Amino acid sequence: MAGRDLRTLFSSNDRSIAASEAFTNRQAQWQAVTASLAEHVRHVTRTDFDVEDLEAPRRNILVFHGVGGIGKSTLSRKIEASLATSEHRPVQWESPYHPEERTLPVRIDLARSAGMDFERVILTIRLAVVALGRPMPAFDLAFRRYWEHNHPGESIEDYLRRRGLLSRFSAAAALPQQMQSALSDVAQALLLPGTVGGALGHGAGALIKALRERRQSVRALAGCSRLADLLEAEPDLEALSFYPHLLAWDLAQFPADKSALPVILLDTFEDTGDRTQRDFERLLQRIVWLMPNAFFVVTGRNRVQWAETGLEGQLDWTGPSAWPGLVADTAHTGSGVSGRQILIGDFSPEDCEDYLARRLSRDGQPLIDEPVRRIIAERSHGLPLYLDLSVMRYLELRRGGRQPQVTDFDHDFPALIARTLSDLTAEERHVLRSVSLLNAFSVPLATKAAGMKHDAPALRLTERPFIRESPSGVWPFHVHDLIRAAIRNADDGSDDRWSDQDWQRAAQRAFHALESQWRQDLRRDRAVLVGCLQQGLLLARDFHLDLGWLGDAAFQYVGDSIWEPLVLPAADTASSGGVRTAADALVETLSAIARRQHEHRERTVSRLSAVLASGLLPDGLVGLAEYYRAKAQRDLGLTDDSRRGMQRVASAGGRLASAARRGLAHLSRVSGDFPAAVEAAERLGWPGRHHRVLGDVWWVQGDMERAAAAYLAGRSEAEEHGVVGETAVAQAHLAFAVSFIDPLRADDELDLADRLLSPLSLRSNEMTARIATLVRDAGFAVDLPDRAAVQLAEIGVSGISYAAAKLQLALCFHHAVLDARDDLAADLARLRELTQNGYYAYYVEIAHFMCDLPLPPNTERARWIDGEQQTRERWHSLVEARRNRLGTVR
């Protein structure tokens, strides 16, 4: 029992106390791996071990679990490398019991981002044993039948090459030959021509019959008692999930001196689904259960719950008798199996409550009731120390003669600061307090924020257990959330505690350190910008600092045209009296600009109007709020308001003057004054995105080739300037123009647009790309009106009125191609309704041009570049060309 367990024991008369221990030493974790492997080898080499025994408890799994960013994936990769070859094993890690040349480690990343599905999991495991150099006949026969049934016309080799598996496994290219060899051997044994045939065809029946009759010709397979049943089963995903049994049987047939031990590392196990949807987890559990001669190392955020009886019915094998090593808090089970669930790092929220429930108990029931457990777990941020202190406080309150309540744990423990600072040097304490002002930091940032001349104190601090490291993000380190909050907010009784003036000076240092990080980033890394901006805004707001460099950073943020939401400071300005400082005003401005991709444009106008009315923005930033309010007004169809705003920004001559002039050109275009728009575009240059403005003019003239060329030039110019947001915008519009003239080419353009837009947050341009798919499919897709209705509903949520009109125009094109006059009449009526305020009113003209219909009387006419007749002919030609293409397809 650990020391803290003894303190708990001697703090209460209740002898029924259980505890969990958090392992943080990676060397100890490696020792757990080697010890478990040694025990596993002893188990599977016993004379009474039977690979086909489906009832014996499973001892072939080891679980490491802990909070995100604690290094679980790194540990998993290091274990794989160390088992593969000793040269990759850290010097302090001892040699494993099992020799590396007879170990087959394979790591499988189950993260959603890795795109790993169950079929690929099975293939990856099979590829790991290719190195043994011989077929796995039982598995290969069943899997080949499954493959030909589910992947007709696609070879396994092509699939492996496309998924990058051939490059990962040096011997992977031999897999198709090994499988073919197994098929040929069976065909020869049954005197069948060639191989067993496509999908094992009639050969499957012959083989099944031979297996059931245990003929001498198939004696090599007849010992696999369940092979015939699996070959008879429908070769679907359900059957595939049982094929690992066949692979385990094949491996068991190897002579002892040729055998190998598969060690399968399943990483990011939490991404197999949440704890109410366990379909993928059920399939993975079958692999573990059906391969008792393989060993599995699972890493994830939570405990594996298979030993809990409450999951009966959700998974195939549950309970402590099935998985004795997975029993929660097992130190040693009656069967001799050591506990196989090891916590690395802090507890997950649900494990915090589980820990508290088990830590203090009476007669098998949790002593701490559920509401109290929940509040302690929430406040702990997973920190075991906080849980320990809360347990001791609970016992102390009980000794006072009353039952502890939830309100008793709205409590900061001074001991958190005392114990955190107790073994730190004075310099380390100074650095720790300085970086507690930051959400994340690096060693150079910490050194500069602390005002120190050397890195050593910051380097030593990063080695402390309360400093968390995450490989993702701009800065790798952050102070544990609870420790950070305690240092910032709790009473600090230490001798070197800081005064309010000390904190103010530290905030200034950190603010200027962030400025240096941003200005010295020559690569203009977007993540660096956003990280510095969000941390700088927090400091400026909390410590009432002048905005300084934040203004320049804000303009870079909007200039990149990416619009990912900022992770803004936690304080809610609305609930604390609204915008009260310049920092509040800038935070609200940037939030409104970014959130406009996800909020109705009316909300954007309201938020920016409130900021402008506050008068708190410095003069150099007023144009920022004014310009984006005008953009939102244009999207809402408030052209007069938008024009006035754009004119004010353009006249002021600030950083957004060129963008405002582009906005005025757009307003000329949406009102149908195309010559004015072209004239304005010629004066815009790159800052005003002149090529995109011209493309927007040319496509409505029906000149799609010229529009596509303009958008392509705009994309190339954006690439040259490294502006990824504008690159994606130009590509979305390029795909839209191409969709009218070449549906096949449009596939490629739309695919590129999707890839460029997917990491960004450019909602209006995502809508443009989705409308382009409707244009591409016009005349071909029967379900196009239904798809359009779904998109229209999404557009209604955003308040981007022009997108609704653009989508309606795409529907007109579809019905014009089909010559569906009734549908076209309804489309025209809807289009008139959408443009009745004069906003994109020329779409009504274009819709008539498509079918060469005369314009109704009193129709407001646009100023077409080449005149109405030539524009009409171009649009009608696009419809005729699509009809011809449609006739060819039919």
Side-chain angles (χ1 to χ4, degrees):
M1 182 175 288
R4 66 172 183 264
D5 297 328
L6 290 173
R7 288 197 303 273
T8 301
L9 179 63
F10 284 90
S11 296
S12 171
N13 291 327
D14 188 344
R15 300 293 301 274
S16 301
I17 295 176
S20 299
E21 184 173 5
F23 290 91
T24 57
N25 188 312
R26 291 187 178 182
Q27 185 172 351
Q29 293 152 15
W30 171 250
Q31 291 171 348
V33 171
T34 57
S36 299
L37 279 174
E39 184 175 350
H40 176 73
V41 171
R42 288 193 295 270
H43 175 69
V44 299
T45 54
R46 288 169 46 181
T47 56
D48 60 347
F49 175 76
D50 181 7
V51 75
E52 290 192 287
D53 183 353
L54 299 181
E55 297 178 359
R58 291 307 190 245
R59 300 168 168 84
N60 59 333
I61 182 171
L62 176 65
V63 180
F64 294 113
H65 63 108
V67 296
I70 202 64
K72 300 181 298 295
S73 294
T74 301
L75 175 63
S76 181
R77 286 189 289 267
K78 182 60 69 175
I79 291 171
E80 179 190 32
S82 299
L83 291 175
T85 173
S86 59
E87 66 184 24
H88 295 303
R89 190 171 66 245
V91 293
Q92 69 270 27
W93 285 13
E94 61 187 9
S95 298
Y97 171 84
H98 199 260
E100 63 188 45
E101 63 270 16
R102 293 176 58 187
T103 304
L104 296 174
V106 56
R107 178 177 172 271
I108 300 174
D109 188 356
L110 299 172
R112 293 185 182 94
S113 58
M116 181 66 67
D117 57 22
F118 184 71
E119 182 177 276
R120 192 171 174 185
V121 170
I122 294 293
L123 257 178
T124 302
I125 295 172
R126 176 62 181 90
L127 287 169
V129 301
V130 167
L132 296 176
R134 54 187 282 183
M136 302 287 123
F139 175 87
D140 290 351
L141 287 170
F143 186 81
R144 183 63 178 267
R145 180 166 181 260
Y146 165 88
W147 188 265
E148 293 183 2
H149 184 273
N150 292 279
H151 295 267
E154 181 181 23
S155 70
I156 293 177
E157 186 173 6
D158 288 342
Y159 178 90
L160 297 177
R161 183 179 296 107
R162 184 161 49 84
R163 292 298 187 95
L165 292 172
L166 286 178
S167 59
R168 178 180 174 187
F169 296 90
S170 58
L175 177 61
Q177 290 77 16
Q178 289 186 8
M179 288 189 168
Q180 190 64 33
S181 173
L183 294 174
S184 298
D185 289 345
V186 171
Q188 183 177 1
L190 297 175
L191 302 179
L192 296 173
T195 65
V196 182
L200 289 177
H202 299 296
L207 175 58
I208 292 168
K209 183 177 180 182
L211 288 171
R212 295 205 181 282
E213 295 174 356
R214 304 184 68 83
R215 294 181 192 169
Q216 185 69 15
S217 59
V218 292
R219 63 185 181 279
L221 292 171
C224 186
S225 61
R226 296 177 178 88
L227 175 58
D229 297 288
L230 287 172
L231 290 175
E232 281 184 328
E234 180 71 15
D236 53 15
L237 184 66
E238 182 77 0
L240 177 66
S241 69
F242 289 95
Y243 292 176
H245 171 76
L246 303 178
L247 186 58
W249 184 86
D250 286 322
L251 290 167
Q253 308 315 302
F254 276 63
D257 60 340
K258 302 290 186 182
S259 65
L261 171 63
V263 179
I264 301 165
L265 299 105
L266 302 176
D267 193 25
T268 326
F269 199 76
E270 68 272 13
D271 272 9
T272 59
D274 62 36
R275 296 196 170 190
T276 59
Q277 300 292 330
R278 296 180 180 267
D279 294 341
F280 192 19
E281 184 179 359
R282 181 188 298 111
L283 300 178
L284 294 173
Q285 191 202 54
R286 285 179 185 167
I287 298 178
V288 180
W289 188 269
L290 297 173
M291 297 189 71
N293 50 349
F295 191 78
F296 295 81
V297 179
V298 172
T299 44
R301 293 191 178 182
N302 302 307
R303 290 182 299 107
V304 172
Q305 297 178 309
W306 299 349
E308 296 184 12
T309 55
L311 293 183
E312 186 174 354
Q314 297 185 60
L315 299 173
D316 294 337
W317 297 276
T318 59
S321 61
W323 306 96
L326 300 185
V327 175
D329 300 319
T330 299
H332 205 74
T333 67
S335 62
V337 182
S338 298
R340 294 288 181 84
Q341 303 229 50
I342 298 173
L343 177 67
I344 51 174
D346 295 334
F347 291 102
S348 64
E350 86 175 348
D351 283 337
C352 284
E353 290 198 51
D354 185 66
Y355 170 80
L356 291 168
R358 296 174 184 275
R359 181 67 179 275
L360 298 176
S361 62
R362 176 187 291 151
D363 300 327
Q365 296 300 314
L367 186 62
I368 306 176
D369 59 19
E370 194 273 337
V372 174
R373 295 201 307 270
R374 186 170 63 249
I375 194 64
I376 293 174
E378 289 174 358
R379 290 182 59 82
S380 74
H381 292 276
L383 187 69
L385 173 58
Y386 187 93
L387 298 176
D388 284 339
L389 292 171
S390 296
V391 166
M392 301 304 291
R393 176 172 174 77
Y394 187 92
L395 293 173
E396 180 182 351
L397 292 169
R398 283 183 75 247
R399 285 198 300 270
R402 66 181 182 87
Q403 180 65 25
Q405 303 298 313
V406 169
T407 53
D408 292 322
F409 294 90
D410 184 13
H411 183 75
D412 289 315
F413 292 106
L416 281 173
I417 300 177
R419 296 173 97 174
T420 300
L421 301 179
S422 61
D423 61 342
L424 301 184
T425 65
E427 287 185 326
E428 287 171 351
R429 292 197 294 272
H430 182 80
V431 175
L432 176 59
R433 289 190 174 99
S434 298
V435 297
S436 73
L437 292 167
L438 300 170
N439 296 328
F441 64 93
S442 62
V443 169
L445 180 60
T447 299
K448 192 170 184 65
M452 290 196 164
K453 303 296 184 183
H454 52 286
D455 290 336
L459 282 168
R460 291 196 302 270
L461 187 71
T462 62
E463 298 171 359
R464 299 293 179 172
F466 51 81
I467 299 297
R468 301 298 189 245
E469 181 175 3
S470 175
S472 61
V474 179
W475 300 287
F477 304 108
H478 68 273
V479 182
H480 188 283
D481 290 336
L482 187 65
I483 298 296
R484 181 178 176 225
I487 291 172
R488 291 285 305 276
N489 303 317
D491 292 333
D492 185 349
S494 59
D495 292 338
D496 58 351
R497 61 187 178 274
W498 278 6
S499 67
D500 291 341
Q501 291 73 24
D502 289 328
W503 282 108
Q504 189 70 29
R505 285 189 288 268
Q508 285 281 4
R509 288 196 306 269
F511 188 72
H512 292 307
L514 289 168
E515 178 184 10
S516 296
Q517 291 266 307
W518 170 59
R519 294 198 186 279
Q520 293 170 10
D521 177 35
L522 301 180
R523 297 179 303 160
R524 289 175 60 89
D525 189 315
R526 180 73 177 180
V528 172
L529 165 68
V530 173
C532 291
L533 193 55
Q534 66 190 27
Q535 297 211 83
L537 285 167
L538 178 59
L539 288 168
R541 188 199 66 195
D542 289 352
F543 291 90
H544 305 286
L545 307 179
D546 292 335
L547 295 184
W549 61 273
L550 290 174
D552 293 339
F555 277 106
Q556 184 185 332
Y557 173 77
V558 300
D560 287 343
S561 300
I562 295 180
W563 309 127
E564 82 280 44
L566 282 169
V567 181
L568 295 172
D572 183 356
T573 56
S575 64
S576 60
V579 175
R580 296 181 298 177
T581 67
D584 287 336
L586 182 54
V587 166
E588 179 66 3
T589 298
L590 294 178
S591 175
I593 292 171
R595 286 296 302 169
R596 82 190 200 282
Q597 304 295 334
H598 308 280
E599 294 178 341
H600 197 284
R601 290 303 198 262
E602 289 181 353
R603 172 69 174 149
T604 305
V605 171
S606 174
R607 294 178 69 182
L608 292 177
S609 295
V611 170
L612 289 167
S614 74
L616 291 170
L617 277 179
D619 291 342
L621 290 169
V622 169
L624 183 65
E626 184 82 80
Y627 172 73
Y628 282 99
R629 181 176 68 172
K631 283 194 70 171
Q633 289 167 333
R634 186 186 69 201
D635 290 341
L636 290 168
L638 304 174
T639 53
D640 291 339
D641 291 337
S642 179
R643 185 176 286 106
R644 285 191 291 270
M646 291 294 183
Q647 286 171 342
R648 284 193 292 270
V649 177
S651 299
R655 302 192 201 198
L656 292 173
S658 294
R661 287 190 285 271
R662 179 179 74 244
L664 291 170
H666 280 314
L667 287 167
S668 296
R669 174 177 58 83
V670 301
S671 64
D673 191 353
F674 301 118
V678 171
E679 182 182 355
E682 292 173 350
R683 299 192 299 269
L684 292 176
W686 154 249
R689 311 302 193 251
H690 55 143
H691 289 305
R692 176 153 60 89
V693 174
L694 288 172
D696 290 344
V697 172
W698 296 132
W699 83 258
V700 295
Q701 314 301 309
D703 195 344
M704 299 304 170
E705 293 288 359
R706 197 170 183 181
Y711 289 134
L712 181 59
R715 189 190 75 189
S716 299
E717 199 168 36
E719 289 173 338
E720 290 173 7
H721 286 82
V723 182
V724 295
E726 180 61 25
T727 301
V729 171
Q731 179 60 33
H733 286 74
L734 172 60
F736 177 77
V738 170
S739 294
F740 279 100
I741 52 179
D742 190 345
L744 293 179
R745 178 187 166 193
D747 288 338
D748 294 333
E749 301 294 357
L750 284 165
D751 180 65
L752 177 57
D754 181 65
R755 284 188 279 119
L756 292 175
L757 288 168
S758 60
L760 310 178
S761 183
L762 295 165
R763 192 171 186 186
S764 62
N765 293 284
E766 291 169 1
M767 291 176 182
T768 295
R770 293 184 63 187
I771 294 171
T773 65
L774 300 180
V775 175
R776 177 199 63 190
D777 298 340
F780 297 101
V782 176
D783 65 341
L784 191 143
D786 294 333
R787 288 159 50 193
V790 173
Q791 289 190 36
L792 189 61
E794 296 175 0
I795 289 170
V797 173
S798 70
I800 305 176
S801 59
Y802 80 82
K806 199 171 191 177
L807 183 146
Q808 200 65 36
L809 188 65
L811 271 176
C812 289
F813 184 64
H814 173 67
H815 289 132
V817 171
L818 297 176
D819 198 22
R821 295 304 177 98
D822 291 342
D823 291 326
L824 185 60
D827 293 338
L828 285 168
R830 176 64 176 148
L831 195 56
R832 289 191 196 94
E833 180 184 343
L834 289 169
T835 60
Q836 62 184 349
N837 61 355
Y839 196 55
Y840 292 99
Y842 55 83
Y843 280 1
V844 174
E845 293 183 71
I846 291 174
H848 284 81
F849 296 166
M850 289 177 179
C851 289
D852 201 21
L853 295 173
L855 293 174
N858 303 320
T859 300
E860 184 177 347
R861 308 295 180 94
R863 294 183 62 204
W864 303 102
I865 299 294
D866 299 319
E868 180 180 311
Q869 184 58 37
Q870 191 168 346
T871 306
R872 175 185 290 271
E873 290 172 359
R874 278 197 292 261
W875 276 107
H876 189 57
S877 296
L878 290 171
V879 172
E880 290 294 330
R882 182 62 60 91
R883 286 174 177 171
N884 292 337
R885 185 182 291 269
L886 184 62
T888 302
V889 172
R890 287 178 175 173

